[in-house]
C-alpha cells in the first residue's frame, strides 16, 4: 500500500503551510484530510476554495449536508461520513436526517428527500439525468440553480472522498464517535 503523509504545519510543503494554519484556526486542530491534501498545495487549496464556495450556495446547512453525506455514503468514504456526521450535529441537522443519510434510507421531509434522491442520481448516473428526474427535483421546490449547486457539492466530495480512498486517511479523534464503515453502505 502506498503511504501518504499526514502533514503537520512543519512538514507540509511551503504552499500548504498557511492553509494548514488556517485549518488549525478554524477547527482548533488540523483535520487529517487537510493534512493529507497538503501534500499537493493545489489540492488543499482547491478543497478549501470549493468548500467555501459551496457554503455560499442558496442551500441551507441541512440541505448541504444531505448532498455531502449522500455522496459520502455512495462513495463509501468512511472518513467523510464520520466527519460530516459530527459536523451535521454541530450545525443542528435533525438526528433523524443524519441517521437516514448514514443508512441511505428515505428522509421524512419530502423536499429533503427529493434533494437526497437527486444527489444520488447525480452521483450514480455521473450527471446524466433524465428530464423526469430534473422535473421531480424542480417540482419539490428547488431551482435549476440548486441543481448546479448539487453538482458543486458532488465535486467537493470527489476531491475529499477520492483523496481519502487513495490515502487511507485516518479518522480524526474528533470524529471517532461517529465512525461509519463502508459495509454499512452495502447493507443499506
Amino acid at each position: 500500500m502506498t503511504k501518504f503523509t499526514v502533514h503537520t504545519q512543519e512538514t507540509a510543503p511551503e504552499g500548504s503551510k498557511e492553509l494548514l494554519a488556517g485549518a488549525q484556526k478554524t477547527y482548533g486542530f488540523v483535520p487529517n484530510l487537510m493534512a493529507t491534501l497538503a501534500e499537493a498545495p493545489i489540492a488543499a487549496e482547491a478543497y478549501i476554495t470549493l468548500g467555501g464556495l459551496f457554503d455560499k450556495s442558496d442551500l441551507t446547512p441541512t440541505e448541504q449536508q444531505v448532498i455531502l453525506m449522500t455522496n459520502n455514503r455512495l462513495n463509501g468514504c468512511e472518513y467523510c461520513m464520520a466527519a460530516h456526521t459530527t459536523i451535521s450535529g454541530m450545525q443542528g441537522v435533525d438526528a433523524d436526517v443524519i441517521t437516514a443519510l448514514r443508512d441511505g434510507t428515505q428522509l421524512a421531509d419530502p423536499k429533503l428527500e427529493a434533494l437526497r434522491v437527486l444527489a444520488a442520481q447525480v452521483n450514480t448516473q455521473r450527471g446524466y439525468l433524465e428530464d423526469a428526474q430534473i422535473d421531480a427535483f424542480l417540482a419539490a421546490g428547488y431551482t435549476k440553480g440548486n441543481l448546479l449547486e448539487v453538482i458543486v457539492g458532488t465535486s467537493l466530495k470527489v476531491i475529499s472522498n477520492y483523496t481519502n480512498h487513495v490515502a487511507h486517511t485516518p479518522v480524526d479523534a474528533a470524529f471517532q464517535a461517529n465512525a461509519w464503515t463502508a459495509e454499512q453502505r452495502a447493507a443499506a
Side-chain angles (χ1 to χ4, degrees):
M1 175 171 76
T2 302
K3 291 280 196 178
F4 281 76
T5 301
V6 178
H7 285 283
T8 65
Q9 291 179 53
E10 292 75 34
T11 66
E14 196 58 41
S16 292
K17 290 181 186 294
E18 187 176 317
L19 300 171
L20 294 185
Q24 174 71 40
K25 184 177 179 183
T26 299
Y27 302 109
F29 69 102
V30 176
N32 289 337
L33 169 61
M34 284 303 306
T36 301
L37 285 166
E39 184 71 28
I42 191 172
E45 186 175 357
Y47 180 73
I48 291 168
T49 301
L50 191 55
L53 292 171
F54 188 60
D55 286 344
K56 294 178 184 179
S57 75
D58 289 334
L59 301 166
T60 67
T62 295
E63 290 169 326
Q64 290 175 12
Q65 290 303 326
V66 167
I67 295 163
L68 300 174
M69 289 184 69
T70 296
N71 277 280
N72 292 339
R73 189 187 64 76
L74 290 171
N75 293 337
C77 188
E78 296 177 2
Y79 181 96
C80 284
M81 282 300 280
H84 282 276
T85 298
T86 304
I87 293 165
S88 291
M90 292 168 53
Q91 291 180 335
V93 176
D94 289 341
D96 291 346
V97 170
I98 295 170
T99 299
L101 292 170
R102 285 172 62 93
D103 295 343
T105 57
Q106 186 171 341
L107 297 171
D109 180 288
K111 187 174 182 185
L112 289 178
E113 175 61 9
L115 177 60
R116 185 191 70 80
V117 167
L118 184 89
Q121 291 165 337
V122 167
N123 177 301
T124 61
Q125 295 171 213
R126 306 297 183 252
Y128 290 102
L129 301 177
E130 298 173 13
D131 288 342
Q133 294 170 322
I134 296 170
D135 292 344
F137 179 71
L138 298 175
Y142 290 104
T143 67
K144 293 173 188 172
N146 294 142
L147 190 150
L148 297 175
E149 291 171 336
V150 170
I151 294 170
V152 171
T154 301
S155 301
L156 181 63
K157 292 290 83 188
V158 167
I159 295 170
S160 61
N161 294 169
Y162 291 13
T163 296
N164 291 324
H165 294 335
V166 301
H168 304 281
T169 310
V171 176
D172 299 275
F175 308 138
Q176 280 292 333
N178 293 307
W180 178 91
T181 64
E183 287 79 30
Q184 290 173 270
R185 168 184 66 140

